[in-house]
Amino acid sequence: MYIPTHFKQEDRTAIHEMMAGVGFVSLVTSTADGLVATHAPVLFDANAGEHGTILGHIARANPQWKTALPDAEALAIFLGPNGYVSPQWYAAKREHGRVVPTWNYTAVHAYGRVRFSDERELLLNIVTRLTEKHEAKFEKPWSVSDAPADYIEGMLKAIVAFEMPISRIEASWKLSQNRSEADRAGAMAGLKERGEGVAEEMEKIYRPRDPK
């Protein structure tokens, strides 16, 4: 991924928090016929391996698990909050007018060799953990055990698990670091007014909260 120096994110904690928080990837693998991509919910285990491990599942009917070249590097793309930045928000527009639109975003590219498996216990563990993670926000969370056991068994047979120990990570936090303080403030205000989540990411680096 092309990352200008001022957008490069190297804070391991921030990167891991983003990956765990987004929890959804575009999984890209190489095949004999070219690249194949699948969009899938995932778990990120920061403690498994040097750079962490990504776990998820895809449909058994999806041929990606059969066609991915086993020795080729795969790519998992995490796209965080992002949004359009209008030049009318910049102080520079009023000063000299030499401004253009752009797009602010956070993104992580994780690389590694992906392993596919139809092992029942691994599949059950992944779907259970994914469910617990996303149901935790509800007052009365749904549980995998709430469904009939034979139904769950049938659903497990319809999916394939994947694990990707990460060998390297690239991260870009493009948050107007190349603009003046006044321009950044204008962009934050404009994005916040539009309800764009990327405004919160900008506030994290430009308006850090006081420790309590």
Side-chain angles (χ1 to χ4, degrees):
M1 171 167 54
Y2 167 65
I3 310 176
T5 303
H6 37 274
F7 299 147
K8 188 173 184 178
Q9 175 61 275
E10 296 181 293
D11 184 324
R12 186 182 180 94
T13 298
I15 293 171
H16 286 183
E17 286 180 353
M18 183 272 212
M19 294 167 71
V22 170
F24 192 82
V25 303
S26 297
L27 178 66
V28 185
T29 56
S30 296
T31 76
D33 298 316
L35 299 177
V36 172
T38 296
H39 308 288
V42 295
L43 297 163
F44 171 63
D45 188 344
N47 298 314
E50 182 180 358
H51 300 287
T53 297
I54 297 168
L55 304 99
H57 63 81
I58 63 175
R60 181 177 289 275
N62 183 340
Q64 185 177 29
W65 69 276
K66 295 180 180 179
T67 60
L69 299 177
D71 295 326
E73 189 174 58
L75 166 65
I77 302 173
F78 294 79
L79 180 61
N82 64 93
Y84 172 78
V85 177
S86 171
Q88 65 184 311
W89 296 336
Y90 292 150
K93 177 185 180 296
R94 297 182 292 276
E95 295 169 2
H96 50 67
R98 295 191 297 274
V99 292
V100 293
T102 190
W103 203 277
N104 279 4
Y105 62 87
T106 60
V108 170
H109 286 192
Y111 302 83
R113 285 182 169 80
V114 63
R115 301 190 297 257
F116 293 96
S117 171
D118 58 3
E119 181 188 341
R120 178 191 177 279
E121 293 306 314
L122 176 61
L123 281 165
L124 182 60
N125 177 268
I126 290 173
V127 298
T128 298
R129 290 170 61 190
L130 277 169
T131 300
E132 290 175 347
K133 174 185 176 182
H134 295 290
E135 286 286 326
K137 66 187 72 173
F138 294 101
E139 183 178 350
K140 295 182 179 179
W142 182 87
S143 171
V144 171
S145 61
D146 289 346
D150 59 342
Y151 177 76
I152 294 298
E153 289 301 319
M155 296 303 292
L156 291 177
K157 292 176 182 178
I159 58 177
V160 174
F162 66 83
E163 297 178 280
M164 194 179 92
I166 300 171
S167 58
R168 59 190 178 97
I169 290 177
E170 298 173 332
S172 179
W173 263 227
K174 183 180 177 297
L175 302 173
S176 301
Q177 294 96 323
N178 57 330
R179 305 300 310 185
S180 69
E181 184 176 348
D183 284 354
R184 290 197 297 264
M188 276 193 291
L191 288 164
K192 192 169 186 177
E193 184 177 0
R194 288 168 55 90
E196 301 284 4
V198 72
E200 295 182 13
E201 296 302 314
M202 295 178 71
E203 289 183 334
K204 287 179 184 178
I205 62 174
Y206 300 128
R207 297 175 185 169
R209 294 181 175 86
D210 293 331
K212 296 181 179 179

